[in-house]
Amino acid sequence: SALEKSLVYAAAGERLSTVVRFTIDNSLSGLEFAAGIPGTLGGAIAMNAGTKNQDMSGIIADLLILDQTNLTLQTLERKDLEFSYRHLELPGIIISATLALKPADRTRIEQTVKQNLLYKNSTQPVAAASAGCFFKNPPKGMPAGELIEKSGLKGMKINGAMVSQIHANYIINTGDATCGDILSLKKHIEKTVFNTYKVKLETEVRVEGE
Ligand SMILES: Cc1cc2nc3c(=O)[nH]c(=O)nc-3n(C[C@H](O)[C@H](O)[C@H](O)COP(=O)(O)OP(=O)(O)OC[C@H]3O[C@@H](n4cnc5c(N)ncnc54)[C@H](O)[C@@H]3O)c2cc1C
């Protein structure tokens, strides 16, 4: 009910980490899962960013959307938004969002955020240059990282682009990788995983102008 929820209104261009910090400071629970995910609030919503168990779809109350063609604004309620795995059907640009969170004990929220960050930092190459997880996890069976690792691709390099040694679903730029190097490595991964496991990987990273 409205009494149990607390609403946070934020601009889409706000950094997600700033919004997470704000919710901690105001003892609001719900966004702990987003700690450590880089980018803006709008980007996180547009990508339905999240972790294994939670994503942005779970905390959105409504979005203010700009239609680029007619330059009109409309508010879309959660029930009118089609979220799916790392995807949101969008009729325009997100200008701002209302998040539905729950009042909770600040110390507990902070502890959860710390645990999440610790887990992320120890299992993902967060310090390296990357675009995050490159492929979506298939709907069933092994997650993408495991498929890539078990196909023997950890550490595989094409010029400066490399399959991370820490988490095989990350393609990292070791210094001088070009976009072409990263896309060549992506194709090599897709081919090898398909030949090994007959699984067609789909990218989570959006590739523009390929
Ligand atoms: C080290 C690392 C770790 C990561 N970990 C995770 C993770 O754990 N979980 C996860 O889900 N992702 C993760 N990511 C991926 C990335 O952080 C998210 O996809 C991020 O939320 C994208 O936000 P951005 O602001 O960078 O958007 P961009 O990358 O700039 O844009 C992403 C897409 O959203 C669209 N978009 C952006 N803003 C708006 C807007 N206001 N209105 C409409 N469309 C918009 C863009 O057009 C584009 O199609 C990680 C990335 C890195 C580098």
Side-chain angles (χ1 to χ4, degrees), residues 12-13 16 36-51 86 90 92-95 120 124-128 130-133 170 204 206 208:
L16 186 59
I37 301 180
T40 61
L41 175 66
I45 297 169
M47 292 297 292
N48 192 18
T51 55
R86 301 293 174 263
L90 268 175
I93 298 171
I94 307 166
I95 301 298
K120 193 171 175 69
Q124 297 174 19
V126 289
S130 81
C133 282
Y170 276 74
E204 176 174 327
R206 290 188 193 168
E208 305 285 346

Side-chain angles (χ1 to χ4, degrees), residues 37-38 43-44 46-52 54-55 84-88 120 124 130-138 143-145 148 167 169-171 183 186 190 200-208:
I37 301 180
M47 292 297 292
N48 192 18
T51 55
K52 206 170 155 196
Q54 277 172 287
D55 54 37
S84 53
Y85 176 50
R86 301 293 174 263
H87 186 77
L88 167 62
K120 193 171 175 69
Q124 297 174 19
S130 81
C133 282
F134 209 92
F135 297 97
K136 290 181 177 175
N137 290 324
I148 299 166
H167 191 310
N169 197 13
Y170 276 74
I171 295 180
L183 293 179
K186 160 196 175 274
E190 286 168 342
K200 243 183 156 173
L201 288 176
E202 276 178 41
T203 58
E204 176 174 327
V205 169
R206 290 188 193 168
V207 181
E208 305 285 346

Side-chain angles (χ1 to χ4, degrees), residues 5-84:
K5 297 251 181 216
S6 287
L7 302 178
V8 169
Y9 177 78
E14 202 67 75
R15 283 164 65 128
L16 186 59
S17 57
T18 307
V19 184
V20 172
R21 187 71 245 170
F22 179 87
T23 62
I24 297 171
D25 290 343
N26 288 277
S27 304
L28 293 170
S29 174
L31 205 54
E32 295 91 329
F33 74 88
I37 301 180
T40 61
L41 175 66
I45 297 169
M47 292 297 292
N48 192 18
T51 55
K52 206 170 155 196
N53 306 314
Q54 277 172 287
D55 54 37
M56 296 303 288
S57 73
I59 51 145
I60 300 298
D62 63 50
L63 300 179
L64 183 64
I65 307 278
L66 172 72
D67 180 320
Q68 301 108 294
T69 325
N70 308 321
L71 296 183
T72 50
L73 287 168
Q74 59 171 328
T75 300
L76 290 181
E77 308 270 325
R78 173 64 185 86
K79 63 175 169 37
D80 301 319
L81 294 163
E82 267 181 63
F83 282 100
S84 53

Side-chain angles (χ1 to χ4, degrees), residues 90-156:
L90 268 175
I93 298 171
I94 307 166
I95 301 298
S96 61
T98 312
L99 314 179
L101 303 165
K102 279 189 181 162
D105 177 56
R106 184 194 161 126
T107 316
R108 280 195 60 186
I109 299 171
E110 214 152 26
Q111 265 170 7
T112 310
V113 164
K114 268 196 194 134
Q115 276 168 9
N116 291 349
L117 280 174
L118 219 61
Y119 177 75
K120 193 171 175 69
N121 293 346
S122 63
T123 53
Q124 297 174 19
V126 289
S130 81
C133 282
F134 209 92
F135 297 97
K136 290 181 177 175
N137 290 324
K140 54 183 167 54
M142 280 187 269
E146 198 178 338
L147 287 165
I148 299 166
E149 181 173 348
K150 291 196 169 151
S151 300
L153 292 169
K154 252 190 177 176
M156 161 87 201

